[in-house]
Amino acid sequence: MRKLAPCPDRPNCVCSRASPSSRSYVAPIAISRDPGKAFGRLKTLLAAFPRTEIVAVNDTYVHATCRTLLGFVDDLEASLCAAERAIHVRSASRVGFYDFGVNRGRVEALRRLMAKPRLN
């Protein structure tokens, strides 16, 4: 399992490895089925996100860059922790101080998609 970087002391980053009392904390994505299949689904969903490109991937880690509507690049990382039955996530802006909730919204959108039943 690759370790996610901590968030800087700015409100433009969220991470499930942050302290739950931190403003940057976001809950990890819970896994209710086979961890490998769940992580595979996350990678598939992430690859379909608009303006998103996967730049590094393996069986337990994925790093993607996401372009905002204004053209800024954000980083999204996800790391599978099968022992915790969770996928830890981090989404952060590369520039700027505020992100107006874009990174938290991105993680929550991914969480909602992961919770939906598969159609195939």
Side-chain angles (χ1 to χ4, degrees), residues 5 11-12 22 27 36-37 44 55-56 58 69-70 73 76-78 83 92 102 105-107 117-118:
N12 64 0
S22 167
K37 288 182 181 178
T44 299
V55 295
N58 64 36
L69 290 172
L70 297 175
V73 177
L76 187 139
E77 297 176 276
V102 170
R106 182 180 296 122
V107 170
R118 292 179 75 142

Side-chain angles (χ1 to χ4, degrees), residues 26-101:
V26 64
I29 297 171
I31 299 171
S32 61
R33 59 178 173 273
D34 176 83
K37 288 182 181 178
F39 198 66
R41 181 160 188 234
L42 179 131
K43 291 186 288 190
T44 299
L45 291 169
L46 192 55
F49 263 36
R51 300 174 311 281
T52 300
E53 179 183 352
I54 293 179
V55 295
V57 65
N58 64 36
D59 291 341
T60 60
Y61 174 81
V62 62
H63 174 205
T65 56
C66 309
R67 285 208 178 270
T68 67
L69 290 172
L70 297 175
F72 296 105
V73 177
D74 296 344
D75 292 290
L76 187 139
E77 297 176 276
S79 180
L80 175 64
C81 185
E84 293 179 30
R85 300 198 60 77
I87 298 171
H88 284 279
V89 290
R90 179 182 188 271
S91 186
S93 300
R94 288 186 180 177
V95 298
F97 190 78
Y98 294 108
D99 71 343
F100 304 100

Side-chain angles (χ1 to χ4, degrees), residues 15-26 104:
C15 183
S16 61
R17 292 285 189 190
S19 168
S21 63
S22 167
R23 70 178 171 205
S24 61
Y25 177 76
V26 64
R104 186 173 299 279

